[in-house]
Amino acid sequence: MSYDESVRERYEAIVLARRVKALVMGVGLLALGGVFYYALVSVGFFAANIPTYFPNFLNALRDFFPFLAPSFPFIDPSGFLDYWAFISERNLIWGGVGGDTPLLGEAGITLAMGFAGTVMGFPLALLFGILGSGRVTPFPFNFIFRGLMSSIRAIPALVWGLIYIPLGGIGPVTATLAIATDTIGNLGRLFTDELEEIEDGPIEAMETTGANKPQTITFGMLSQVTTPFIAWTLYIFEINVRIAVSLGIIGGGGLGNVLSVQQGLFAFTNMMATILVILVLIISVEIFSQRIRSALREGDEAQGIVALLMGFPQRMAEAALK
């Protein structure tokens, strides 16, 4: 084969490969478009008749943001008083001493659900996390605990809340139990993954001293992951506070319950006032948690307030789906 023929064959091979690649991409885009169309049909998107109801949405926006004025300067500061009046009336932030919502009011109940659920779930998360590691429990017995944690994780916290209703009724107690159960699965699995990455050196050093299994686990394994375990626990605490808001919407109490009631009354100004309190609560918890985690982890830079505000909708959606 001459040099020119070899170059021509190579050129034709490259052209053919590009055409095949373009054809595959075209077919892939068509398939993606078909799946997207099927998804819209499945959720009834085309039957929703959104253009008809769009004026109602605009009217609702005026209630959501009462400080927006139709004429220049377009901002009426007195509109903010509507927010503050509802926040004060319902004790969303400060409940005073005594009463049904002491000290931090409805925000405090939401915070308490997240905190109590994290503390209640931590012991079993730690136990299952350790026993799920192949370094502690031999294969295949470690998969018993991994499977248990995976099963817990597979059920969202909202569903756990519905399961616990016959036990604790509709209220903060049920929400706290659901959060604690969800913590066992999520935090325990993070503990297991962290233990799989530790160094063998300290473990071997403990074994050469004649240490038994519990001593090796405590001083050879857990001593390497103390800081990550604290950091992961704080991270799960952040998520649990957001889950507490979601559970409140189905009757778990706190800010979520206030939000649900006001939505049922079509009191959109009160809804937005509650959302603002939720925003302040979540951002405060995240700042507190991230500052501590940044102090524990070398080279981990804490997010600023602007970044936390911009990422709030995504984190809220992720927490609701857990």
Side-chain angles (χ1 to χ4, degrees):
M1 179 182 296
S2 66
Y3 177 77
D4 292 341
E5 291 175 342
S6 176
V7 171
R8 187 180 302 108
E9 286 187 1
R10 179 59 180 162
Y11 172 76
E12 291 174 351
I14 293 175
V15 171
L16 179 61
R18 289 184 176 179
R19 288 176 178 173
V20 171
K21 183 178 180 181
L23 180 61
V24 171
M25 288 184 63
V27 172
L29 288 175
L30 285 175
L32 180 63
V35 173
F36 177 61
Y37 176 77
Y38 175 75
L40 292 179
V41 172
S42 299
V43 301
F45 188 83
F46 299 110
N49 202 8
I50 290 179
T52 302
Y53 293 102
F54 192 71
N56 295 339
F57 176 67
L58 292 179
N59 290 331
L61 284 182
R62 295 189 185 96
D63 291 332
F64 275 127
F65 306 105
F67 54 85
L68 295 179
S71 58
F72 187 79
F74 305 113
I75 296 293
D76 180 10
S78 64
F80 291 103
L81 297 178
D82 294 338
Y83 289 156
W84 182 247
F86 179 74
I87 291 172
S88 301
E89 175 189 348
R90 295 300 299 266
N91 297 327
L92 297 190
I93 297 177
W94 172 249
V97 179
D100 296 332
T101 56
L103 296 181
L104 295 180
E106 299 291 343
I109 293 175
T110 300
L111 183 64
M113 288 191 293
F115 178 75
T118 305
V119 173
M120 291 171 64
F122 178 82
L124 283 180
L126 181 62
L127 178 62
F128 290 174
I130 293 174
L131 295 177
S133 173
R135 292 170 178 264
V136 177
T137 307
F139 177 83
F141 300 106
N142 62 323
F143 274 88
I144 296 175
F145 301 97
R146 286 181 177 236
L148 186 58
M149 289 185 289
S150 297
S151 299
I152 293 174
R153 283 158 47 93
I155 300 175
L158 284 171
V159 178
W160 281 116
L162 297 176
I163 292 173
Y164 284 132
I165 284 178
L167 176 64
I170 300 176
V173 174
T174 298
T176 304
L177 292 174
I179 292 171
T181 306
D182 194 63
T183 299
I184 295 171
N186 288 320
L187 188 58
R189 190 53 191 268
L190 290 172
F191 285 169
T192 298
D193 292 342
E194 198 68 44
L195 284 172
E196 299 295 346
E197 304 296 331
I198 60 176
E199 300 289 340
D200 291 329
I203 300 174
E204 294 171 352
M206 288 299 302
E207 291 174 344
T208 56
T209 62
N212 56 28
K213 193 70 173 179
Q215 291 173 330
T216 302
I217 293 172
T218 303
F219 301 106
M221 299 178 65
L222 295 182
S223 61
Q224 298 187 58
V225 293
T226 301
T227 299
F229 273 23
I230 296 173
W232 283 124
T233 303
L234 290 170
Y235 174 70
I236 292 296
F237 170 57
E238 288 180 28
I239 294 177
N240 284 345
V241 174
R242 288 193 284 271
I243 291 176
V245 176
S246 303
L247 289 170
I249 294 175
I250 63 168
L255 294 173
N257 192 36
V258 176
L259 187 65
S260 176
V261 170
Q262 298 307 312
Q263 191 277 333
L265 297 174
F266 297 101
F268 299 122
T269 301
N270 297 342
M271 279 184 62
M272 184 53 63
T274 308
I275 291 172
L276 291 176
V277 177
I278 292 173
L279 182 68
V280 172
L281 174 65
I282 298 297
I283 295 298
S284 300
V285 170
E286 285 203 14
I287 291 176
F288 169 77
S289 174
Q290 286 199 6
R291 294 300 174 186
I292 294 179
R293 281 189 283 138
S294 298
L296 293 173
R297 287 175 169 166
E298 295 181 0
D300 187 8
E301 184 177 352
Q303 286 186 311
I305 294 178
V306 175
L308 290 172
L309 289 172
M310 296 296 290
F312 174 75
Q314 178 184 352
R315 295 191 295 275
M316 193 70 192
E318 292 174 352
L321 295 175
K322 283 184 175 294

